[in-house]
Amino acid sequence: MHELGITRNLVAIVAEAAQGRPVRKVWLEIGTQTALLPDSVRFCFDVVRQGTLLEAAELEIVEVAPGWLCEDCGTPAGGEAEAMPAACAHCGATRWRRRTGQELNVKAMEVETCV
Ligand SMILES: [Zn+2]
């Protein structure tokens, strides 16, 4: 399963950043264009975190919708479209740069503080 390897990497990254402290919660940003299914990631997370610092961690998945920026003037396309927009409302250019939708980031994490 595609998600399993990716989730394993993410858990490893978070565990390393936690520096030995148990992790309470992890926020994960997943772009809707990544072909990663949040439900699959959630499932893999439950498997992969066993025996790690993330064993008791809650997983919050934030889905990021696709967005575009005009290549010429930097104006964002109106709305959030899966497909590339036709022409820039500002300058009429038709070349676009992807702005969002392909994220796969650990956005934030919360660790237990030492008492
Ligand atoms: Zn433009």
Side-chain angles (χ1 to χ4, degrees):
M1 200 191 291
H2 187 51
E3 279 84 355
L4 190 58
I6 289 169
T7 309
R8 188 173 281 141
N9 283 343
L10 289 168
V11 166
I13 290 166
V14 172
E16 196 179 320
Q19 299 183 318
R21 292 165 298 180
V23 179
R24 267 193 217 144
K25 191 166 177 179
V26 179
W27 285 263
L28 203 58
E29 257 184 352
I30 299 181
T32 55
Q33 305 272 290
T34 55
L36 288 171
L37 300 171
D39 280 352
S40 302
V41 172
R42 216 178 286 279
F43 175 81
C44 294
F45 180 78
D46 278 344
V47 174
V48 170
R49 67 177 169 164
Q50 301 300 322
T52 74
L53 291 168
L54 286 74
E55 195 149 23
E58 198 184 322
L59 178 64
E60 182 92 24
I61 293 179
V62 183
E63 286 190 78
V64 183
W68 302 87
L69 279 183
C70 175
E71 189 94 62
D72 286 1
C73 74
T75 301
E80 283 156 347
E82 286 287 335
M84 209 177 280
C88 174
H90 182 71
C91 73
T94 53
R95 293 182 305 152
W96 297 93
R97 175 154 52 86
R98 188 177 284 286
R99 180 169 56 94
T100 54
Q102 289 182 318
E103 290 78 0
L104 180 60
N105 300 320
V106 177
K107 197 176 178 224
M109 58 187 272
E110 194 180 299
V111 295
E112 297 284 350
T113 45
C114 297
V115 184

